Amino acid sequence: MTIKEIKAELETATHPIAKSLHHGTGFKVLIMGFRKGMILQEHKAHTPSKLTVLEGTVIYKEENRVLELRQYDEVEIPLEITHSVEAMEDSLCILSQGE
């Protein structure tokens, strides 16, 4: 019910919502929900990560590149590089982290 919970919480949220979908030794999978205009502020990934858009459109920004990601697009997030994500429309993403 993780995705349904995120969608319900987004109705009144003022920031992106993230919840664990699955985790284990050395990895985790998060679902992240955004309403249009929400921004996941600049931060760094400390483990190998991949962002995949399930619904909507987001702008992924890092130091020297800006990518528009639509449904089913994905991006490998480099280690220790400052990046952010902005929702261009209501969006749902999956973030996988780990080796």
Side-chain angles (χ1 to χ4, degrees):
M1 299 299 176
T2 306
I3 292 173
K4 288 181 180 180
E5 290 172 7
I6 289 171
K7 287 190 169 197
E9 287 183 35
L10 278 173
E11 291 179 17
T12 58
T14 58
H15 53 79
I17 303 291
K19 292 189 179 289
S20 176
L21 180 67
H22 188 63
H23 63 276
T25 304
F27 81 95
K28 62 181 166 181
V29 179
L30 302 173
I31 300 292
M32 299 183 349
F34 299 82
R35 282 199 339 241
K36 180 179 180 176
M38 286 183 170
I39 298 173
L40 182 60
Q41 298 295 329
E42 289 186 339
H43 60 284
K44 293 181 180 181
H46 306 296
T47 58
S49 302
K50 180 186 278 189
L51 180 70
T52 304
V53 179
L54 298 177
E55 296 176 0
T57 303
V58 301
I59 301 294
Y60 169 85
K61 298 178 187 177
E62 61 182 47
E63 293 173 353
N64 295 314
R65 70 177 173 162
V66 176
L67 301 173
E68 180 176 276
L69 303 173
R70 297 180 178 275
Q71 188 174 37
Y72 309 133
D73 289 341
E74 57 191 46
V75 63
E76 296 277 345
I77 300 172
L79 292 174
E80 304 304 328
I81 299 294
T82 301
H83 62 280
S84 64
V85 180
E86 180 177 357
M88 303 312 292
E89 58 187 28
D90 292 355
S91 301
L92 197 61
C93 300
I94 188 166
L95 181 68
S96 54
Q97 298 178 312
E99 299 292 333

